[in-house]
Amino acid sequence: MYYPEPIAKLIESFSKLPGIGQKTATRLAFYTIGMEDQDVNEFAKNLLSAKRDLHFCSICGNLTQTDPCEICSDQTRDQSIILVVEEPKDVLAMEKIREYRGLYHVLHGTISPMNGISPDEINVKSLITRLMDSSVEEIIIATNATSDGEATAMYLARMIKPAGIKVTRLARGLAVGSDIEYADEVTLSKAVENRLEL
Amino acid sequence: MYYPEPIAKLIESFSKLPGIGQKTATRLAFYTIGMEDQDVNEFAKNLLSAKRDLHFCSICGNLTQTDPCEICSDQTRDQSIILVVEEPKDVLAMEKIREYRGLYHVLHGTISPMNGISPDEINVKSLITRLMDSSVEEIIIATNATSDGEATAMYLARMIKPAGIKVTRLARGLAVGSDIEYADEVTLSKAVENRLEL
């Protein structure tokens, strides 16, 4: 005897999600059966709608319902700076600090020689196109502080700098509120190297 | 700026699941957007179907597409033994060992004085009804080895024994393959108490 087919199929769907194994999928599927009808209908509707109604902005690559996205079409934003991030969620993280007023560009990944991901496979080409016909003065590279993120930053800097555009990168150092005692060695050495005068 | 509405709603749906917080929900929602159309459609369909097509068996309370369930309507099974479990998944766990050939009864929970769950709130009454008009000779209580599970077992035994029906409980002892060194004290003392002659 196995699970009745409807729940077996639902378990299979849940277990296709990242970080969700057979056991968690089973727990989630059984929980779903006990949920209110309305919540389950809503869940199914939201899944379909997220897949159907969201697109990538044809200019910056961010997730959006309209094309171009709200940020690209907002003329009050500073058109001379583009901040380059790996994923759409990074755009949101930046927007949350309410300080950056320029434009974005979403790469949808990083260059990763280890995993065989070349610059052609991420959203780099359209960034170069944007630089050609616009009045961009600075590119801020905000890829993650991982080895793939660093490699991507280096690659972009080498591509863009010769065009006479300023290329900067987010500062490396101690996270605010963190203890020196628990900082890893690389972070600590970066923090010393990039020390600021008071 | 917030997430576009379709993804914000999907994040909300995911975060209603147990053990899934805001961050995991966000990760899952973004992952879903990157999934194949077909997989997402399938996922939504499976959610609705699991909720719509599954019911609880009117006899034993197990999850089923037919009523009564396959096990209750299988006349080749031993009608004189009922094994009582907390949840439908426990039925599957028992069926997997392919040794038990009797019937089941699913309580859908445990009595829990701590959480204010009284016997009336779990599927006990229908068990008593089953005992009245059937030829059941033995009840095997297979609630979890937790304090609520134990309390439920004790309660059921006290209810059923006076009717002259044999009430048994799954053995407590060392898990097969486990090290004595790592067994907890209660398990170890139960294992000594219930030692078997070789």
Side-chain angles (χ1 to χ4, degrees), chain B residues 83-85 90 93-94 97 100 138-145 150 153 167-173 190 194:
Chain B
L83 189 139
V84 180
V85 294
D90 301 331
M94 284 302 302
I97 62 172
Y100 177 70
E138 180 175 354
I139 298 283
I140 305 175
I141 301 180
T143 51
N144 290 336
E150 298 284 294
V167 180
T168 56
R169 192 171 73 154
L170 296 189
R172 302 304 190 234
K190 283 280 172 199
N194 303 325

Side-chain angles (χ1 to χ4, degrees), chain B residues 2-4 14 25 32-33 38-39 52 62 68 71 79 84-85 100 102 116 120 135 140 144 159 161 168 171-172 196:
Chain B
Y2 298 97
Y3 286 114
F14 270 120
T32 313
I33 292 172
Q38 198 199 328
D39 284 345
R52 191 186 53 223
N62 192 14
I71 297 176
Q79 311 283 320
V84 180
V85 294
Y100 177 70
D120 294 343
S135 53
I140 305 175
N144 290 336
M159 289 274 286
K161 265 187 169 170
T168 56
R172 302 304 190 234
L196 301 166

Side-chain angles (χ1 to χ4, degrees), chain A residues 16 23 41 44 79 97 115 120 129 134 152 158 183 185 188 191 193 195:
Chain A
K16 281 186 184 160
K23 281 210 171 171
N41 291 343
Q79 311 283 319
I97 62 173
N115 300 311
D120 295 345
T129 318
S134 74
T152 310
R158 224 175 303 161
E185 290 163 33
L188 208 49
E193 190 183 320
R195 63 193 179 279

Side-chain angles (χ1 to χ4, degrees), chain B residues 49-123:
Chain B
S49 147
K51 185 71 194 168
R52 191 186 53 223
D53 300 337
L54 288 177
H55 311 279
F56 295 126
C57 171
S58 58
I59 299 177
C60 70
N62 192 14
L63 267 183
T64 172
Q65 283 181 272
T66 57
D67 191 19
C69 73
E70 280 175 48
I71 297 176
C72 285
S73 44
D74 182 350
Q75 292 302 323
T76 68
R77 296 189 75 115
D78 185 347
Q79 311 283 320
S80 69
I81 309 184
I82 295 178
L83 189 139
V84 180
V85 294
E86 291 181 16
E87 300 294 345
K89 352 182 197 192
D90 301 331
V91 172
L92 197 82
M94 284 302 302
E95 285 295 285
K96 270 188 187 152
I97 62 172
R98 291 168 189 279
E99 261 178 31
Y100 177 70
R101 293 292 303 160
L103 304 175
Y104 290 95
H105 194 84
V106 182
L107 295 175
H108 293 286
T110 51
I111 300 167
S112 174
M114 289 279 284
N115 300 311
I117 299 172
S118 71
D120 294 343
E121 285 164 78
I122 60 172
N123 194 19

Side-chain angles (χ1 to χ4, degrees), chain A residues 2-173:
Chain A
Y2 297 97
Y3 287 114
E5 200 192 332
I7 194 153
K9 280 186 161 182
L10 183 57
I11 293 172
E12 198 193 316
S13 282
F14 270 119
S15 63
K16 281 186 184 160
L17 297 172
I20 295 191
Q22 202 63 26
K23 281 210 171 171
T24 312
T26 307
R27 194 163 53 89
L28 294 178
F30 273 99
Y31 181 86
T32 313
I33 292 173
M35 274 164 70
E36 296 290 322
D37 267 353
Q38 198 199 328
D39 285 344
V40 177
N41 291 343
E42 192 80 354
F43 191 174
K45 215 185 65 195
N46 293 342
L47 270 172
L48 296 174
S49 148
K51 186 71 193 167
R52 190 186 53 223
D53 301 337
L54 288 177
H55 311 280
F56 296 125
C57 171
S58 58
I59 299 177
C60 71
N62 192 12
L63 267 185
T64 174
Q65 284 181 271
T66 57
D67 190 20
C69 73
E70 280 176 47
I71 297 177
C72 285
S73 45
D74 182 350
Q75 292 301 323
T76 69
R77 296 189 74 116
D78 185 346
Q79 311 283 319
S80 70
I81 310 184
I82 295 178
L83 189 138
V84 180
V85 294
E86 291 182 16
E87 299 293 345
K89 351 184 199 190
D90 302 329
V91 172
L92 198 85
M94 284 301 302
E95 285 296 285
K96 270 189 187 153
I97 62 173
R98 292 170 188 281
E99 259 178 34
Y100 178 70
R101 293 290 303 159
L103 304 175
Y104 290 95
H105 193 85
V106 183
L107 294 176
H108 293 287
T110 50
I111 300 167
S112 175
M114 289 278 285
N115 300 311
I117 299 171
S118 72
D120 295 345
E121 286 164 77
I122 61 173
N123 194 20
V124 168
K125 213 190 250 172
S126 65
L127 175 62
I128 307 299
T129 318
R130 283 177 84 179
L131 298 183
M132 288 203 278
D133 19 78
S134 74
S135 54
V136 176
E137 288 161 19
E138 181 176 352
I139 297 283
I140 305 176
I141 300 180
T143 50
N144 290 335
T146 56
S147 57
D148 284 348
E150 298 284 293
T152 310
M154 291 306 152
Y155 173 84
L156 291 177
R158 224 175 303 161
M159 289 274 286
I160 300 165
K161 264 185 170 171
I165 298 168
K166 189 172 158 192
V167 181
T168 57
R169 192 171 72 155
L170 295 190
R172 303 300 190 236

